Amino acid sequence: MTIQVLNGANLGRLGTREPEVYGTTTHAQLVDLVGTAARELGMEVQVRQTDDEGQLLRWIHEATDAGDPIVVNPGGWTHTSVVLHDALAAVTAPVLEVHISNIHRREEFRRHSYVSRVADGVIAGLGVEGYVLALQWMSLRGHR
Ligand code: DHK
């Protein structure tokens, strides 16, 4: 079993994109952070990012077929994508939704998530450490 950490639109721009909102950790550093945490927890993890919504759907379909748990930060698709909701609705393994920023403290349009309805839990506002916390929860629940 591999935990699939899937990052969506604009998350490849971490580090330089609105650092006051998303911090200064780059996506490459996030991959290292998550990889280190996974090793410490004895888990297999794969971290990927895409700006192509179809690609994100295909990765979700692959994870669904493999029975892999998913940690997903869809970026802006969180607030817009019925197709993302529908893909995640078919996942039987755990799904955690992660946001680096606290989406409830920001613009009104970020308050609604199509993903939360089909996620087991949501972590928002805890920075990139939210991904590590998501892995810890997976580990506590025995998903590794
Ligand atoms: C990332 C984005 O790109 C935004 O579109 C979301 C999320 C919030 C985050 O906080 O990680 O609204």
Side-chain angles (χ1 to χ4, degrees):
M1 177 190 296
T2 301
I3 311 285
Q4 301 293 335
V5 178
L6 305 179
N7 286 321
N10 296 311
L11 289 161
R13 309 291 298 163
L14 283 177
T16 52
R17 169 195 184 208
E18 297 182 84
E20 67 287 358
V21 176
Y22 299 106
T24 53
T25 304
T26 64
H27 194 269
Q29 290 168 335
L30 173 62
V31 172
D32 286 346
L33 177 76
V34 170
T36 300
R39 264 192 304 282
E40 285 170 8
L41 292 164
M43 306 168 106
E44 289 292 320
V45 72
Q46 182 170 36
V47 187
R48 290 178 286 184
Q49 188 275 329
T50 182
D51 292 321
D52 174 350
E53 192 175 13
Q55 179 64 77
L56 182 60
L57 296 178
R58 286 189 288 279
W59 287 339
I60 292 169
H61 298 159
E62 283 171 20
T64 305
D65 291 343
D68 286 342
I70 296 176
V71 175
V72 62
N73 181 349
W77 294 321
T78 305
H79 318 294
T80 62
S81 182
V82 173
V83 294
L84 181 58
H85 165 283
D86 291 350
L88 290 168
V91 179
T92 51
V95 175
L96 290 183
E97 174 184 356
V98 170
H99 301 288
I100 294 166
S101 66
N102 182 352
I103 55 175
H104 301 287
R105 201 157 72 172
R106 299 182 61 193
E107 301 94 328
E108 191 63 35
F109 66 83
R110 293 186 204 277
R111 294 226 176 137
H112 176 260
S113 165
Y114 282 99
V115 175
S116 298
R117 214 184 150 76
V118 286
D120 293 283
V122 183
I123 297 171
L126 302 183
V128 290
E129 292 85 354
Y131 291 87
V132 175
L133 295 170
L135 291 192
Q136 288 174 343
W137 181 86
M138 294 281 185
S139 173
L140 287 169
R141 289 293 176 104
H143 304 294
R144 59 192 147 102

